Protein backbone atom coordinates (compact mmCIF):
# COMPACT_ATOMS: atom_id res chain seq x y z
CA UNK A 1 0.00 0.00 0.00
CA UNK A 2 0.94 3.67 -0.17
CA UNK A 3 3.39 4.95 2.37
CA UNK A 4 3.75 8.37 3.90
CA UNK A 5 4.11 11.04 1.24
CA UNK A 6 5.46 14.55 1.57
CA UNK A 7 5.48 17.54 -0.71
CA UNK A 8 7.34 19.31 -2.04
CA UNK A 9 10.44 17.13 -2.05
CA UNK A 10 12.61 20.21 -2.29
CA UNK A 11 11.90 23.84 -1.46
CA UNK A 12 14.21 26.78 -1.91
CA UNK A 13 13.05 30.05 -0.46
CA UNK A 14 14.39 33.45 0.44
CA UNK A 15 14.96 34.56 3.98
CA UNK A 16 11.82 36.17 5.40
CA UNK A 17 9.35 34.25 3.22
CA UNK A 18 6.73 31.86 4.57
CA UNK A 19 6.68 28.19 3.53
CA UNK A 20 4.19 25.35 3.85
CA UNK A 21 5.19 21.71 3.92
CA UNK A 22 2.64 18.96 3.45
CA UNK A 23 2.38 15.43 4.81
CA UNK A 24 -0.04 12.69 3.76
CA UNK A 25 0.09 9.89 6.34
CA UNK A 26 -0.70 6.25 5.76
CA UNK A 27 -4.45 5.77 5.53
CA UNK A 28 -5.94 4.82 8.89
CA UNK A 29 -2.96 5.97 10.93
CA UNK A 30 -4.16 8.18 13.74
CA UNK A 31 -0.79 9.40 15.01
CA UNK A 32 1.34 11.85 13.04
CA UNK A 33 4.76 13.26 13.89
CA UNK A 34 6.98 15.94 12.40
CA UNK A 35 10.75 15.79 12.86
CA UNK A 36 13.59 17.93 11.57
CA UNK A 37 16.96 16.64 10.40
CA UNK A 38 19.65 19.28 10.31
CA UNK A 39 23.43 19.29 10.34
CA UNK A 40 23.72 21.18 13.58
CA UNK A 41 20.95 19.53 15.60
CA UNK A 42 20.63 16.03 14.20
CA UNK A 43 17.16 14.50 14.09
CA UNK A 44 14.75 16.25 16.47
CA UNK A 45 11.06 15.98 17.29
CA UNK A 46 8.87 18.95 16.41
CA UNK A 47 5.18 18.17 16.94
CA UNK A 48 2.79 15.24 17.47
CA UNK A 49 -0.88 14.82 16.54
CA UNK A 50 -3.14 12.04 17.79
CA UNK A 51 -6.72 11.93 16.58
CA UNK A 52 -8.70 14.90 17.84
CA UNK A 53 -6.51 15.46 20.89
CA UNK A 54 -4.57 18.65 21.41
CA UNK A 55 -1.19 18.34 19.69
CA UNK A 56 2.10 18.14 21.57
CA UNK A 57 3.96 21.20 20.30
CA UNK A 58 6.83 20.93 22.76
CA UNK A 59 9.46 20.45 20.05
CA UNK A 60 8.66 23.50 17.93
CA UNK A 61 11.79 25.71 18.04
CA UNK A 62 10.02 29.08 17.87
CA UNK A 63 6.63 30.69 17.40
CA UNK A 64 7.40 31.04 13.70
CA UNK A 65 6.63 27.35 13.42
CA UNK A 66 3.08 26.01 13.43
CA UNK A 67 1.29 22.91 12.20
CA UNK A 68 -2.21 21.72 11.71
CA UNK A 69 -3.87 18.49 10.82
CA UNK A 70 -7.13 18.66 8.95
CA UNK A 71 -9.75 15.93 9.26
CA UNK A 72 -7.36 13.73 11.14
CA UNK A 73 -5.37 13.05 8.00
CA UNK A 74 -3.24 15.51 6.02
CA UNK A 75 -0.91 17.77 7.98
CA UNK A 76 0.73 21.05 7.05
CA UNK A 77 3.82 22.47 8.74
CA UNK A 78 4.13 26.22 8.27
CA UNK A 79 7.26 28.24 8.87
CA UNK A 80 6.80 32.00 8.88
CA UNK A 81 9.54 34.52 8.15
CA UNK A 82 12.05 31.79 7.37
CA UNK A 83 15.62 32.11 8.60
CA UNK A 84 18.75 30.43 7.28
CA UNK A 85 18.92 28.21 10.37
CA UNK A 86 15.57 26.71 9.31
CA UNK A 87 17.35 24.97 6.43
CA UNK A 88 16.93 21.25 7.07
CA UNK A 89 15.11 18.14 5.96
CA UNK A 90 11.63 18.00 7.47
CA UNK A 91 10.37 14.48 8.04
CA UNK A 92 6.84 13.32 8.68
CA UNK A 93 5.95 9.97 10.23
CA UNK A 94 2.69 8.22 11.02
CA UNK A 95 1.70 5.28 13.15
CA UNK A 96 -1.43 3.40 14.09
CA UNK A 97 -3.51 4.01 17.20
CA UNK A 98 -1.43 4.01 20.41
CA UNK A 99 -1.57 0.86 22.48
CA UNK A 100 0.30 -0.92 25.23
CA UNK A 101 3.43 -1.34 23.17
CA UNK A 102 5.35 0.75 20.67
CA UNK A 103 3.66 1.36 17.34
CA UNK A 104 6.20 1.57 14.54
CA UNK A 105 6.49 4.99 12.96
CA UNK A 106 6.65 4.99 9.18
CA UNK A 107 8.59 7.90 7.74
CA UNK A 108 8.06 9.86 4.58
CA UNK A 109 10.90 10.79 2.22
CA UNK A 110 11.15 14.28 3.66
CA UNK A 111 11.12 17.83 2.34
CA UNK A 112 14.51 19.46 1.94
CA UNK A 113 14.16 23.15 2.78
CA UNK A 114 16.87 25.58 1.80
CA UNK A 115 16.63 29.17 2.98
CA UNK A 116 18.88 31.54 1.05
CA UNK B 1 15.45 14.66 29.96
CA UNK B 2 16.00 11.89 27.46
CA UNK B 3 19.08 11.67 25.26
CA UNK B 4 20.96 9.24 23.05
CA UNK B 5 24.69 9.21 22.43
CA UNK B 6 26.05 7.16 19.60
CA UNK B 7 29.40 6.53 18.06
CA UNK B 8 30.47 9.30 15.76
CA UNK B 9 31.27 8.43 12.22
CA UNK B 10 32.01 8.08 9.54
CA UNK B 11 32.85 4.41 9.80
CA UNK B 12 34.49 2.64 6.88
CA UNK B 13 34.87 -1.14 6.82
CA UNK B 14 35.78 -3.79 4.32
CA UNK B 15 33.18 -6.27 3.19
CA UNK B 16 32.73 -9.22 5.60
CA UNK B 17 34.19 -7.27 8.52
CA UNK B 18 32.57 -7.26 11.96
CA UNK B 19 30.56 -4.17 12.79
CA UNK B 20 29.84 -2.50 16.12
CA UNK B 21 28.17 0.88 16.47
CA UNK B 22 27.95 1.97 20.08
CA UNK B 23 24.85 3.58 21.55
CA UNK B 24 24.12 4.66 25.12
CA UNK B 25 21.10 6.44 26.47
CA UNK B 26 19.77 8.52 29.32
CA UNK B 27 16.06 8.36 30.05
CA UNK B 28 13.55 9.32 32.70
CA UNK B 29 11.43 6.21 32.78
CA UNK B 30 11.68 2.92 31.01
CA UNK B 31 12.33 3.44 27.32
CA UNK B 32 11.96 1.28 24.26
CA UNK B 33 15.09 1.29 22.11
CA UNK B 34 15.50 1.31 18.36
CA UNK B 35 17.91 1.35 15.49
CA UNK B 36 16.73 3.17 12.39
CA UNK B 37 18.54 3.10 9.05
CA UNK B 38 18.59 5.56 6.18
CA UNK B 39 19.87 4.08 2.93
CA UNK B 40 21.13 6.46 0.24
CA UNK B 41 18.19 8.21 -1.42
CA UNK B 42 15.63 6.49 0.80
CA UNK B 43 13.55 7.41 3.82
CA UNK B 44 14.22 6.51 7.41
CA UNK B 45 13.12 2.99 8.28
CA UNK B 46 13.05 0.86 11.39
CA UNK B 47 15.83 -1.73 11.48
CA UNK B 48 15.21 -3.37 14.86
CA UNK B 49 13.81 -2.68 18.30
CA UNK B 50 13.79 -3.91 21.90
CA UNK B 51 11.18 -2.96 24.45
CA UNK B 52 12.55 -4.31 27.74
CA UNK B 53 15.81 -5.14 29.45
CA UNK B 54 17.77 -8.09 28.03
CA UNK B 55 15.60 -8.19 24.91
CA UNK B 56 17.55 -8.71 21.70
CA UNK B 57 16.31 -7.07 18.53
CA UNK B 58 17.43 -8.55 15.24
CA UNK B 59 16.88 -8.01 11.52
CA UNK B 60 18.89 -8.48 8.31
CA UNK B 61 21.77 -10.01 10.27
CA UNK B 62 21.97 -7.02 12.64
CA UNK B 63 21.50 -7.46 16.38
CA UNK B 64 21.29 -5.22 19.43
CA UNK B 65 20.68 -6.15 23.07
CA UNK B 66 18.93 -3.84 25.55
CA UNK B 67 21.36 -3.54 28.48
CA UNK B 68 19.74 -1.70 31.35
CA UNK B 69 22.76 -2.01 33.65
CA UNK B 70 25.00 -0.17 31.17
CA UNK B 71 22.17 1.85 29.51
CA UNK B 72 23.38 0.65 26.15
CA UNK B 73 22.00 -0.72 22.89
CA UNK B 74 25.01 -1.40 20.67
CA UNK B 75 24.39 -2.46 17.07
CA UNK B 76 26.38 -5.43 15.76
CA UNK B 77 26.68 -7.44 12.58
CA UNK B 78 29.04 -10.33 12.07
CA UNK B 79 29.76 -9.83 8.38
CA UNK B 80 28.85 -6.60 6.64
CA UNK B 81 28.00 -6.21 2.99
CA UNK B 82 28.32 -3.31 0.58
CA UNK B 83 24.53 -3.01 0.68
CA UNK B 84 24.72 -2.15 4.40
CA UNK B 85 26.23 1.23 3.56
CA UNK B 86 23.83 3.74 5.11
CA UNK B 87 23.35 6.11 8.03
CA UNK B 88 22.32 4.38 11.27
CA UNK B 89 20.41 6.13 14.06
CA UNK B 90 19.93 4.90 17.60
CA UNK B 91 16.70 6.12 19.19
CA UNK B 92 14.49 5.76 22.23
CA UNK B 93 10.94 6.49 23.23
CA UNK B 94 8.85 6.23 26.36
CA UNK B 95 5.75 4.36 25.25
CA UNK B 96 2.67 4.87 27.39
CA UNK B 97 -0.54 4.72 25.38
CA UNK B 98 0.21 8.09 23.93
CA UNK B 99 2.91 10.25 22.45
CA UNK B 100 5.71 8.00 21.24
CA UNK B 101 8.02 10.71 20.01
CA UNK B 102 11.46 9.41 19.25
CA UNK B 103 14.68 10.85 20.63
CA UNK B 104 17.50 10.17 18.18
CA UNK B 105 21.24 10.02 18.33
CA UNK B 106 23.25 12.03 15.83
CA UNK B 107 23.60 9.17 13.36
CA UNK B 108 26.59 7.15 12.19
CA UNK B 109 27.45 6.99 8.52
CA UNK B 110 28.69 3.54 7.54
CA UNK B 111 30.51 2.84 4.30
CA UNK B 112 31.41 -0.69 3.28
CA UNK B 113 34.08 -1.10 0.62
CA UNK B 114 34.36 -4.24 -1.53
Amino acid sequence: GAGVSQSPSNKVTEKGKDVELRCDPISGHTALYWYRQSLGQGLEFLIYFQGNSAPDKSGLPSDRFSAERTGGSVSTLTIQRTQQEDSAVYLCASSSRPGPSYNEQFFGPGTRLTVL
Amino acid sequence: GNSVTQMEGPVTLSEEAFLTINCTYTATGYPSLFWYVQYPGEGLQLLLKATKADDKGSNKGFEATYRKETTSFHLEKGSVQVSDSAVYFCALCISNFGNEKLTFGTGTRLTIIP
Side-chain angles (χ1 to χ4, degrees):
Chain A
V4 177
S5 61
Q6 294 185 244
S7 60
S9 56
N10 281 283
K11 176 71 176 180
V12 180
T13 190
E14 295 179 347
K15 178 182 173 180
K17 301 284 189 182
D18 297 352
V19 295
E20 284 189 352
L21 312 180
R22 177 187 168 105
C23 172
D24 283 85
I26 293 172
S27 178
H29 278 188
T30 59
L32 188 148
Y33 302 79
W34 282 97
Y35 295 88
R36 178 169 72 171
Q37 187 174 18
S38 58
L39 283 176
Q41 301 297 323
L43 239 167
E44 53 182 346
F45 165 79
L46 296 177
I47 189 169
Y48 161 73
F49 294 92
Q50 172 54 48
N52 295 321
S53 302
D56 174 0
K57 304 179 182 180
S58 61
L60 295 179
S62 78
D63 58 7
R64 296 186 294 104
F65 288 71
S66 63
E68 62 178 21
R69 189 177 184 192
T70 54
S73 180
V74 171
S75 178
T76 303
L77 178 69
T78 301
I79 309 173
Q80 295 178 311
R81 305 181 303 283
T82 53
Q83 302 295 312
Q84 288 183 332
E85 61 262 29
D86 299 334
S87 296
V89 177
Y90 290 82
L91 297 174
C92 177
S94 70
S95 67
S96 55
R97 181 178 297 279
S101 60
Y102 175 73
N103 293 277
E104 180 178 350
Q105 293 178 35
F106 294 84
F107 283 79
T111 293
R112 181 176 297 276
L113 175 66
T114 302
V115 182
L116 302 177
Chain B
N2 301 329
S3 66
V4 175
T5 302
Q6 68 179 98
M7 181 173 159
E8 288 199 22
V11 174
T12 303
L13 295 172
S14 297
E15 203 166 21
E16 299 183 2
F18 183 85
L19 168 71
T20 300
I21 301 178
N22 289 337
C23 171
T24 57
Y25 67 89
T26 302
T28 54
Y30 199 31
S32 295
L33 302 175
F34 311 88
W35 279 98
Y36 274 80
V37 60
Q38 192 170 34
Y39 296 104
E42 297 185 19
L44 202 62
Q45 56 188 275
L46 180 64
L47 178 61
L48 54 83
K49 68 179 182 183
T51 57
K52 61 183 187 294
D54 300 324
D55 266 3
K56 178 185 286 189
S58 61
N59 187 22
K60 299 182 180 181
F62 290 89
E63 293 183 339
T65 301
Y66 189 142
R67 300 290 188 198
K68 187 179 179 184
E69 64 275 15
T70 55
T71 62
S72 65
F73 193 55
H74 305 321
L75 182 68
E76 296 182 336
K77 186 173 185 180
S79 177
V80 293
Q81 306 300 312
V82 172
S83 57
D84 294 326
S85 297
V87 181
Y88 292 81
F89 294 89
C90 186
L92 67 82
C93 83
I94 306 292
S95 180
N96 188 25
F97 283 92
N99 190 341
E100 295 176 323
K101 61 185 178 185
L102 292 162
T103 299
F104 288 91
T106 52
T108 302
R109 182 176 298 277
L110 174 67
T111 301
I112 307 301
I113 54 177

